[in-house]
Amino acid sequence: MLVDYKDTVNLPKTAFPMKANLPQREPEILRGWEEQAIFQRLVASNAERPGAKRFVLHDGPPYANGDIHIGHALNKILKDVVVKYRNLKGEVADYVPGWDCHGLPIELKVDKELGPKKRDMDRAQIIEACRAYARKWIDRQRESFKRLGVFGRWDDPYTTMSKGYEAEIVRTFARAAEKGFLFRGKKPVYWCITDRTALAEAEVEYEDHTSPSIYVAFDLVSPLPEAKLAGKKARLVIWTTTPWTLPANLAVAAHPDFTYVAYELHGQVLVVAKDLLTRFLADCAPDELLVKDVPVAHSPDAHAAATGGGGLVPSAHLVHPERILAYLDGKALEGLIYRHPFMDRESPVILGEHVTLEAGTGLVHTAPGHGAEDYQVGLAYGLEVLNPVDGAGRFTEEAGKYAGKKIFEANAEIVADLQASGHLLSDPKASLRHSYPHCWRCHNPVVFRATDQWFLSLEHDGLRKRTLAAIDRVQWIPRWGRERIYGMIENRPDWCLSRQRTWGVPIPVFYCEGCAEPLVSPAVMGRVAQAFEAEGIEAWYRHAPADFTQGDRCPKCGKAEFRREQDILDVWWDSGVSWAAVAEKRGFGVPVDLYLEGSDQHRGWFHSSLLTSVAIRGQAPYRGVLTHGFVLDGHGKAMSKSLGNTVAPEEIIKKYGADILRLWVSAADYRDDVRISNEIVAGLAEGYTKIRNTVRYMLGALDGFDPARDAVPVEELEPLDRWALAKLAAWDEKVKAAYENYEFHLAYHATMQLCAVDLSSLYFDIIKDRLYTWKKDGKPRRSAQTALWLVCQDVLRLLAPVLSFTASEAWGHLPGRPAESVFLAGLPTRARPADADALEARYGKLFEVRAMVQKKLEEARRAGLIGKSLEAAVTIRAEGETRALLEEAKAELPTLFIVSKVTLADGPSGVDVERAPGEKCERCWIYADDRGVDPAHPTLCGKCASALR
RNA sequence: GGGCCUAUAGCUCAGUUGGUUCAGAGCGCACGCCUGAUAAGCGUGAGGUCGGUGGUUCAAAUCCACCUAGGCCCA
């Protein structure tokens, strides 16, 4: 009689496939979630629970422009892990994703798409085109984010361009105005005098242009800080290519670390930077030089000199080295007063790090109204922002005798005047061909010109101080986030809120038609907000100003006619008030629990949100701020299109699936920058296989197991099965702590450890015999299945925030699952077995012996003595405690070591391996002593024979 | 140039307040076994002067300084 005993072996069986095939399967799972409204039900069921805690992770809005990149994926997946974990934990963690919609990048793209058509469109029409553009990208990005498996209110997100949000932007602006934080100031911007419009940096193109190149002497009123020069009148030498900015000159900047020289030329004492003296003489007095061909740029030692000073002018170059009367420290020049060459005023010498030795004299003509650096340094010195040029490029009255002249045409006149008055040191005809900013539309040279703009004052009502104090009441993760934002708030200038653009929320201010006085009225702004609520920002242009001002009169002159402000709000205000427009509006409460964004947002969203919230509400809008690093390539380099080292999330999803991407996010320590490469992703995919197969094995082993009928009470489980539960509990604790502390990578590693070591190589391997060959419905086998059932479902529950698709899929194959979806099952709440500590200690030691045994088995295997370990019989020599433990565990040892026989012996510790005697049981492959005890099954061992009865 | 940060095996990460157990884990790799988890599973093994240099200390991956490489934000 030939019995095929293989058919009697209870092998694992499951429909949960080994091959994940995630790219195909995930979309189906996604559909399932949507159809069953899993997220909505999850949040709703948590909200029903009495006393449920709320946890609000407020989404920082990505910009609605372009496809999502890997950084977006990292950010959204991290958020999703947090949201899912909190919900699983039973907290009400709703998540409303958002988009940032206004702003220059979209306006520029739309500009380009519209082309010349734009000229015939009014602002409302351009706005509509921008809306459509943003809408298109929101839809695309939304699908991409959903494909990542991110749960949220995708059907009801927030967008900064929705009417309600636009209204809220105005309301928050009104709140800030009411509290007195807004003021009007001047700031230079690029300006096209042909188109009479401000330009963004992106709208400026550099083209070659020929400018005058002149050296001008400014007469010092103060004496130079050098005794031997006492009584001598000295002059500061500046160089400029824009004579028309001289009427706006309010300072001369020197570098604090440069050395300057006082050089006597034609009876005047001229001050220039030491390293630029020869350059200056080459341009203005070549006869002073022995070497005529002085290079255009600075001398070779200029850099060394620039950093430390030291060294003298190479006197070999000079005809009259003795004309260097003195060397002066840059720092010592600060505060010297000079007289403007043609305006009736005196101005100071200031210090600035922006001064270079690249060109000029090391003394920089400074006009805060006409240059970004000039403006910056001017702020530090409290200089006025003087702009004597109107929008059409004509000098105003403030330019004195040049009033009414076109600035570029006035260049020649100014130079001639300087020459006549003896202030010009160079050839009046000298010119320079250089790269100069031009308007991208009309290609005429642009100017830098200060215009009136609105600012949020950092000093009003102690805003800066109060913001710094608020920072210390926020939990920054990692901690250094605090230092980062603190330093920024400490040093930043007032916030310029005006943008000279179209696509954004108008600054809700009007100006008196009579005296140009601004009307900053919270009541008027309220009407504006109401109009926006109904019509969007288009209302600003559709309605006459009177519709909003409604009879209000100018507080200064009493006139009742107004014109509207043309500028819009900085988009950082838009997203910066999301705490009001979203968290307050939707009743989440402010401050929210968490903002979670990349580390660039210390300057961005964390920053703008903090300022608006402290100004308006007096506290930070968040309790915690979590930052992650940037995604770098495999070599740790930043990704860029030009380097061609970008990795698109879409590509990974197509090749591996979103769960692999999610696993990548969870495995990385995101507090630092995170790397991604083919190698890394492939490695994660291997790790995924391990986890998946571990789960699959459990599901297979649970074939035919009905927990309601077959489960064994935990205290009656076999000791090894209780050990498995102890390991599960330890893992459970680690993983929960990792989620709580936002250290997800620790969860990943703990999970790999659990799957690869505790489960796969130890537990599963050891219980195989029990599962496969013992009596199918016997208690020992049911004991193992009970443990597996518990382990499997807890693993799935705790993995669900990360491996959402896989956990969801596997949950569907779990017999007797306690909830319809893994996401509705909650976190594991299982207690550790009462004797967990003892079990871990006992098996820990036994497994140490097991490792020794395996070493010897491997030797025997290499020697050809055995193949699989069941072919071995081992003798273990041990003494003391170990011997006692082994004696106690004697019956269990063959199972634990997966050998056919274990003999204990005296003597120094060691292991001997020999081939197991006798023949193997045809069914369980163990070389058993009692083979053939049942005459009905002569080739089987006693255990197998009884299993078949 | 400034502010903040990072640097441990090929990869991803542990390494609490410096000290027997501190140079670890998993993966990958090499070699072998199994063929009853099979495009799986098991075993054994090789791999690092803890970015570099100098210092503090009886003792440093761990503290300090500088340097190198890299990241973000400014200028």
Side-chain angles (χ1 to χ4, degrees), chain A residues 163-224:
Chain A
K163 291 168 183 170
Y165 200 115
E166 288 177 341
E168 203 57 34
I169 290 169
V170 171
R171 288 193 194 103
T172 48
F173 187 84
R175 283 159 87 178
E178 198 162 16
K179 288 176 181 280
F181 285 104
L182 305 176
F183 72 94
R184 202 152 158 73
K186 280 193 166 135
K187 192 182 177 197
V189 293
Y190 284 111
W191 189 275
C192 176
I193 57 175
T194 309
D195 296 341
R196 300 190 188 195
T197 176
L199 297 172
E201 205 145 339
E203 294 173 313
V204 166
E205 289 176 358
Y206 283 80
E207 296 171 21
D208 269 0
H209 180 74
T210 302
S211 303
S213 167
I214 57 169
Y215 288 86
V216 185
F218 287 6
D219 296 305
L220 276 171
V221 176
S222 325
L224 281 174

Side-chain angles (χ1 to χ4, degrees), chain A residues 32 112 219 245 294-295 364 366 369 391 651 734-735 777 798 848 937:
Chain A
K112 226 169 246 176
D219 296 305
T245 63
V294 172
V364 175
T366 299
E651 294 299 317
K734 250 185 242 172
V735 172
D777 56 357
L798 271 172
E848 278 172 29
H937 302 287

Side-chain angles (χ1 to χ4, degrees), chain A residues 402-578:
Chain A
Y402 303 107
K405 301 250 161 73
K406 290 215 143 204
I407 53 172
F408 287 121
E409 289 163 15
N411 267 345
E413 191 178 338
I414 292 171
V415 173
D417 288 349
L418 287 170
Q419 188 174 30
S421 67
H423 289 93
L424 189 71
L425 299 174
S426 54
D427 177 355
K429 303 235 163 33
S431 68
L432 176 72
R433 191 148 182 87
H434 60 158
S435 171
Y436 186 87
H438 287 67
C439 174
W440 70 338
R441 288 200 190 77
C442 69
H443 292 281
N444 287 312
V446 304
V447 300
F448 223 61
R449 168 178 179 266
T451 61
D452 283 328
Q453 314 200 30
W454 290 97
F455 290 82
L456 180 93
S457 166
L458 269 289
E459 311 317 328
H460 175 75
D461 199 17
L463 179 58
R464 191 187 308 273
K465 269 193 191 147
R466 291 195 295 123
T467 304
L468 292 174
I471 286 172
D472 280 330
R473 287 191 284 274
V474 172
Q475 185 192 5
W476 300 92
I477 309 168
R479 283 184 200 288
W480 52 257
R482 185 252 175 214
E483 316 308 326
R484 215 165 177 227
I485 196 163
Y486 197 95
M488 289 172 179
I489 296 287
E490 210 170 16
N491 295 315
R492 67 156 297 152
D494 290 327
W495 182 0
C496 179
L497 298 172
S498 297
R499 291 298 120 96
Q500 296 71 40
R501 312 298 324 171
T502 299
W503 178 223
V505 177
I507 291 179
V509 167
F510 294 87
Y511 299 93
C512 173
E513 287 280 21
C515 66
E517 179 74 6
L519 178 72
V520 182
S521 156
V524 171
M525 292 179 197
R527 286 175 214 132
V528 173
Q530 228 166 6
F532 286 8
E533 189 88 51
E535 306 170 45
I537 52 175
E538 289 89 330
W540 184 251
Y541 308 99
R542 276 192 204 130
H543 295 272
D547 290 354
F548 301 115
T549 59
Q550 297 194 355
D552 279 18
R553 294 187 170 276
C554 171
K556 196 168 163 197
C557 73
K559 258 194 123 178
E561 278 129 51
F562 296 92
R563 60 184 168 79
R564 60 174 81 87
E565 163 74 67
Q566 292 296 306
D567 287 355
I568 62 168
L569 264 171
D570 178 11
V571 287
W572 282 111
W573 184 276
D574 294 18
S575 58
V577 299
S578 63

